Amino acid sequence: MTTATAAAPPAPPAAGRTAPARRARDIDGFRGLAALSTVAFHVWQQYTAYDAAGAHPPVDNAALDALLSLEVIDLFFVLSAFLLTHSYARAALDGGTTRPARAFLFRRAVRILPLYVLAVLVVWATRNPTLPGDWRDLLEHLTFTHVFDQDRIFYTLGPTWSLSLEVLFYAVLAGLGPLAVRACRRLRRRGSRVALLLAGCLALYAAPLAWITVAHYGLGIPHTDWVAYFGPQARFGGFAAGMALAVVLAALGDRARLPRRAALPLTVLTLAGLFTLSLRSDPESFPFTYYHPIAAALWALLLLSTLHIRRRTAWNRFLTARWLTPVGLVSYSLFIWHEPVMLLLHTAGLLPPGPAGFPWALPLVFLAALPVAAASYWLIEYPAGLLGRLKDGRGRPRDFYPGVAAR
């Protein structure tokens, strides 16, 4: 789940709204779509039956099933890496400074920890009413290590296995970002700096491809080995794709923006590729095995065709629809709370039973989870976000009363 709030790269201004504001609204639209898709996916999973013959989704329509079962976690990874890497890419290519690691990590911690820790404690306590309970599950969730536990990876807050990878990416970026900036300053030619950064992104993208190949074809590890295929060694390709996108857009600046006649067809082709990839296939097939690296590349291409354009398209107008951008604003809270809300409704017997109940369960979960997410945003996320202002861009405590110190 992307929790990055860094500004997107600048675009040519247009009447009625500044370019950064338009970019931010596009990205909020992506967040909103991804959050809604995540909710639909987990309701779809809840109603999918499993037996010796395999999975039986509740929708007997291949196209609709592909839309509902579309996994957007790679979009979260790509978007997060793009937003957080862009400032490093600009500093590496064109000079300038970046935030110290302590300031970067402080802002990341303020952004995700208050809501996450509260949600983990609340959900864990309700499911472990007597102490000591499953103390290992609690410890692993609070330390973001549950992604490495085959048995507990989906406990307490199932979707938050991805936050373990987000936190690990923050640490990697805080270490590698300044190193990349210093390495690029030794190169005189801008083209050489671009090549160096893209080579690093490519290596980070290739590593999961190599691991998946070895794990599946060499070692015969089944797809149900969650640690093998959900850990950073298999999923960091999404972050690599987002980092590469940040480098490309930082290198291009305002040059080579896509015209409408190129941007919209590219958007349609990319969406079609994601849809085709989501169609159910043999678990031993190439598209299934390499689903996430392929999806990450397609999401990065979709972001390129959305953000690096001369004029806005119908796709941009859809992303900035008034009903969608507010969902993007509360997307992190929706990501955190939708599964507990769904399971609470299920336990209370409020979700219709059997596959026939799926069409009714989907809007019920949406209607219950969205108000919870909105309340969570304004009561927890937004106040916690104000803590990020306690330090300036260099990581030093901010002086809110400079006149007092001068007297």
Side-chain angles (χ1 to χ4, degrees):
M1 170 62 189
T2 179
T3 56
T5 55
R17 185 176 288 119
T18 63
R22 289 189 289 107
R23 285 291 182 83
R25 286 174 60 82
D26 285 338
I27 290 171
D28 271 343
F30 270 112
R31 288 195 182 104
L33 278 181
L36 293 175
S37 180
T38 299
V39 176
F41 175 75
H42 288 125
V43 178
W44 174 88
Q45 268 192 335
Q46 179 75 11
Y47 276 82
T48 296
Y50 297 90
D51 58 28
H56 304 283
V59 177
D60 190 21
N61 181 291
L64 185 56
D65 179 62
L67 287 175
L68 292 169
S69 62
L70 179 66
E71 295 188 59
V72 296
I73 193 63
D74 301 292
L75 170 59
F76 288 134
F77 293 159
V78 171
L79 190 55
S80 181
F82 163 66
L83 292 171
L84 295 176
T85 305
H86 196 263
S87 61
Y88 288 107
R90 285 187 299 184
L93 296 179
D94 302 314
T97 60
T98 59
R99 289 174 182 167
R102 64 181 182 276
F104 172 79
L105 294 175
F106 172 76
R107 287 178 179 269
R108 293 295 89 217
V110 165
R111 178 73 180 92
I112 69 169
L113 286 182
L115 174 57
Y116 175 77
V117 171
L118 176 64
V120 166
L121 292 175
V122 169
V123 175
W124 185 89
T126 59
R127 297 177 186 173
N128 295 266
T130 59
L131 296 177
D134 191 346
W135 61 268
R136 183 174 173 181
D137 172 53
L138 178 61
L139 178 63
E140 288 180 354
H141 272 78
L142 292 178
T143 56
F144 296 98
T145 55
H146 52 296
V147 73
F148 302 109
D149 188 328
Q150 174 71 13
D151 297 323
R152 294 175 176 83
I153 185 173
F154 303 126
Y155 276 25
T156 303
L157 294 174
T160 62
W161 65 266
S162 62
L163 277 181
S164 298
L165 302 189
E166 284 268 357
V167 170
L168 183 57
F169 171 70
Y170 298 158
V172 169
L173 184 62
L176 291 183
L179 290 178
V181 172
R182 287 197 289 271
C184 285
R185 285 175 179 168
R186 299 177 181 177
L187 302 175
R188 293 185 177 181
R189 296 180 63 250
R190 193 171 189 268
S192 299
R193 297 195 290 270
V194 173
L196 177 64
L197 294 179
L198 288 179
C201 296
L202 181 60
L204 189 60
Y205 182 81
L209 284 173
W211 164 251
I212 292 170
T213 302
V214 171
H216 182 67
Y217 295 107
L219 303 177
I221 300 176
H223 289 292
T224 52
D225 189 319
W226 313 126
V227 175
Y229 294 106
F230 281 62
Q233 74 281 1
R235 295 297 185 92
F236 249 49
F239 296 110
M243 294 170 73
L245 177 65
V247 172
V248 168
L249 292 190
L252 291 175
D254 288 332
R255 298 183 298 274
R257 291 187 176 275
L258 298 174
R260 280 184 180 177
R261 64 179 179 274
L264 194 55
L266 182 58
T267 296
V268 172
L269 286 174
T270 308
L271 289 172
L274 289 163
F275 172 80
T276 303
L277 193 62
S278 184
L279 288 169
R280 276 180 283 160
S281 59
D282 181 357
E284 299 301 317
S285 67
F286 181 91
F288 188 94
T289 301
Y290 295 96
Y291 176 94
H292 295 286
I294 297 172
L298 290 173
W299 286 120
L301 191 58
L302 180 61
L303 282 167
L304 175 67
S305 70
T306 303
L307 302 178
H308 197 67
I309 55 176
R310 294 180 187 173
R311 298 187 64 186
R312 296 170 64 76
T313 67
W315 170 245
N316 297 97
R317 290 193 292 272
F318 170 74
L319 287 175
T320 55
R322 290 185 178 180
W323 65 271
L324 185 57
T325 49
V327 179
L329 182 67
V330 303
S331 58
Y332 179 46
S333 283
L334 183 59
F335 175 81
I336 290 291
W337 292 114
H338 77 274
E339 186 192 60
V341 167
M342 178 182 70
L343 295 179
L344 181 63
L345 293 174
H346 174 72
T347 303
L350 298 177
L351 293 184
F358 171 76
W360 304 101
L362 195 59
L364 282 175
V365 174
F366 279 134
L367 290 174
L370 281 170
V372 172
S376 173
Y377 174 80
W378 290 111
L379 295 177
I380 303 170
E381 272 195 82
Y382 182 76
L386 297 178
L387 295 175
R389 302 181 183 180
L390 294 179
K391 292 187 178 182
D392 61 21
R394 304 302 301 168
R396 297 184 293 260
R398 193 182 297 274
D399 185 2
F400 290 98
Y401 304 100
V404 174
R407 289 197 294 267

